[in-house]
Amino acid sequence: MITIRDLHKSFGDLDVLKGIDFSVDQGEVVCVIGPSGSGKSTLLRCINRLEEPTSGQVLIGKDEVTDPDVDIDAVRRRIGMVFQQFNLFPHLTVTENVSIAQRRVLGRGQAEAEQVAAANLERVGLSDKADAYPAQLSGGQQQRAAIARALAMGPELMLFDEPTSALDPEIVGDVLAVMRGLADDGMTMIVVTHEMSFAREVADRVVFMDDGAIVEEGEAERVIGSPANERTRRFLARVLDPAAADLADST
């Protein structure tokens, strides 16, 4: 489904991605973990060319996203992306938010778009909020609406960029439950996350990034439960037990 070859991205003199190589099979869930500034979000944004890679290749199936002559709009229609922020139109209802791109990008009529919206709102557990406005929703509900909006476009691949980082802890579980359901349905997913329990439970593979490079990757249970690399071990110790990590640092 996805092949990434020697991917580099620089912003001026700052090298953010330093030769990324990995692939994702159809139906596979890959969680990307690592410290802030390690290049995780930039990697996602290069996959659908929201950021232009400096060099290297990204392929979605047989389509080379990084080919200057590719129909990037056609490729992007195959990819759904969910960001940290929800980016809903505040003046539109939930149904209208989920319908508008279908109508403008896919050319669906209003009735069909609203029917698809209703099906996807049911999928994420928001049927009862179809006529609400974003300001009337909790953060978790807004993020689920954003997921429904992406799903309504019929993507083959979903990219999640820390989708729970802006949420209160008590509502993170609702969003993760929706993502678990997508994984169970066979959706191909790349998820940048700090939710280690989710990664351990749902991911087929975990990729640990640091300083613009992949340091370690493998089966989720192995990487999170028994990492081989010292840098991975230090990161996970801090994420899984911050108090113990701080104590170790102080001694």
Side-chain angles (χ1 to χ4, degrees):
M1 173 60 94
I2 307 168
T3 304
I4 298 173
R5 298 173 181 156
D6 196 26
L7 187 67
H8 290 254
K9 175 61 182 178
S10 300
F11 296 96
D13 294 331
L14 179 63
D15 296 326
V16 178
L17 298 178
K18 303 174 181 178
I20 301 295
D21 289 282
F22 85 107
S23 60
V24 180
D25 292 332
Q26 186 169 352
E28 191 175 19
V29 178
V30 175
C31 283
V32 182
I33 65 173
S36 297
S38 59
K40 307 182 301 295
S41 295
T42 300
L43 173 61
L44 286 195
R45 293 174 69 84
C46 284
I47 288 174
N48 61 6
R49 260 179 60 190
L50 290 177
E51 295 286 356
E52 288 287 343
T54 303
S55 63
Q57 288 182 305
V58 177
L59 294 95
I60 306 295
K62 295 181 179 179
D63 293 326
E64 184 183 345
V65 179
T66 42
D67 183 341
D69 297 324
V70 75
D71 183 346
I72 190 61
D73 291 331
V75 173
R76 284 177 179 153
R77 284 195 287 272
R78 301 170 60 188
I79 305 171
M81 188 159 183
V82 178
F83 300 88
Q84 296 178 32
Q85 302 301 326
F86 323 122
N87 298 322
L88 299 175
F89 293 110
H91 62 291
L92 300 180
T93 67
V94 169
T95 294
E96 290 167 340
N97 266 285
V98 179
S99 300
I100 188 169
Q102 297 181 61
R103 297 171 60 188
R104 295 189 177 180
V105 177
L106 301 181
R108 290 174 179 162
Q110 181 173 344
E112 181 185 7
E114 290 182 354
Q115 183 178 18
V116 172
N120 282 287
L121 289 172
E122 181 177 4
R123 191 175 185 182
V124 302
L126 279 184
S127 294
D128 60 331
K129 301 296 183 181
D131 297 323
Y133 289 89
Q136 298 171 309
L137 305 181
S138 69
Q141 290 168 337
Q142 290 186 61
Q143 190 63 291
R144 282 187 281 153
I147 294 172
R149 176 182 57 192
L151 293 173
M153 303 297 285
E156 302 168 32
L157 162 68
M158 288 285 288
L159 307 176
F160 292 87
D161 186 6
E162 299 196 31
T164 61
S165 66
L167 303 180
D168 292 333
E170 65 268 22
I171 57 178
V172 165
D174 294 339
V175 174
L176 295 180
V178 170
M179 295 168 64
R180 285 188 185 92
L182 295 180
D184 291 342
D185 290 343
M187 176 65 74
T188 308
M189 298 162 58
I190 302 179
V191 183
V192 170
T193 184
H194 288 295
E195 299 289 342
M196 294 302 119
S197 59
F198 172 84
R200 196 168 196 164
E201 176 187 344
V202 177
D204 298 295
R205 273 190 299 138
V206 167
V207 172
F208 173 69
M209 289 183 65
D210 188 35
D211 194 26
I214 293 176
V215 174
E216 185 168 356
E217 67 175 302
E219 292 184 359
E221 182 62 35
R222 202 276 301 163
V223 172
I224 297 175
S226 183
N229 187 280
E230 173 60 24
R231 180 66 186 94
T232 315
R233 288 196 292 271
R234 285 190 284 114
F235 170 78
L236 288 169
R238 185 163 294 280
V239 170
L240 297 173
D241 193 348
D246 289 341
L247 179 61
D249 288 346
S250 66
T251 57

